[in-house]
Amino acid sequence: MNRRELITKIAAGTATVFVLPALLTSCEEDMADPDGNDPSGNGDLTIDLSLGKYSQLNAAGGSVIERSIIIINTGNEIIALSSVCTHQGCTVSYSHGAGNLPCPCHGSIFSTSGSVLNGPAGSPLKKYQVTRDGNMLTIKE
């Protein structure tokens, strides 16, 4: 096994860990979100940073995905971008060390402003406005 095959297998395995739970729960009946978020994806997204499921956002490099939006603490600010790669719809992740968002499927890389740094994606990720009031984040959709 060469280095490229190893990296490809690691990326595929990592993607499976994050995508499989989402696929399994996507078949569940829509239920009210205890955080007050609309599960249908309509309206603003509200994030309570004091909740355990969002604790990663309290540290530089932390990120979470909610309603196909990746919310990232870059160390300087909290940003929100579409988590859906504009090439073929795979889910991007955040690389704090590189300061970018790689797509595991075909190698596209996006900046934290959403712009394409490396194709094959030709369109930027959608960027959302984030406002913070204490422990509460509001992401305008």
Side-chain angles (χ1 to χ4, degrees):
M1 178 181 305
N2 65 35
R3 183 177 176 186
R4 181 180 214 125
E5 291 171 334
L6 177 63
I7 291 171
T8 301
K9 288 182 183 205
I10 289 172
T14 302
T16 301
V17 167
F18 291 104
V19 173
L20 187 58
L23 290 175
L24 294 175
T25 59
S26 68
C27 295
E28 292 179 2
E29 193 176 306
D30 281 345
M31 298 172 58
D33 186 336
D35 303 328
N37 294 318
D38 179 0
S40 68
N42 299 321
D44 296 342
L45 174 60
T46 304
I47 303 289
D48 183 347
L49 297 174
S50 66
L51 296 177
K53 73 180 198 174
Y54 300 120
S55 63
Q56 293 180 28
L57 293 173
N58 290 312
S63 66
V64 295
I65 296 177
E66 190 76 37
R67 289 190 349 208
S68 297
I69 298 173
I70 186 166
I71 303 115
I72 303 164
N73 182 337
T74 66
N76 297 320
E77 63 181 331
I78 294 182
I79 62 170
L81 300 162
S82 171
S83 65
V84 180
C85 179
T86 57
H87 175 239
Q88 288 191 346
C90 294
T91 301
V92 299
S93 60
Y94 176 61
S95 172
H96 181 60
N100 61 33
L101 294 95
C103 177
C105 295
H106 300 105
S108 292
I109 300 175
F110 300 89
S111 73
T112 55
S113 68
S115 63
V116 178
L117 298 175
N118 185 52
S123 302
L125 297 173
K126 180 177 179 179
K127 187 165 185 170
Y128 298 93
Q129 177 186 348
V130 178
T131 56
R132 184 173 186 169
D133 183 16
N135 279 335
M136 301 300 290
L137 296 178
T138 301
I139 299 157
K140 296 282 186 195
E141 287 198 72

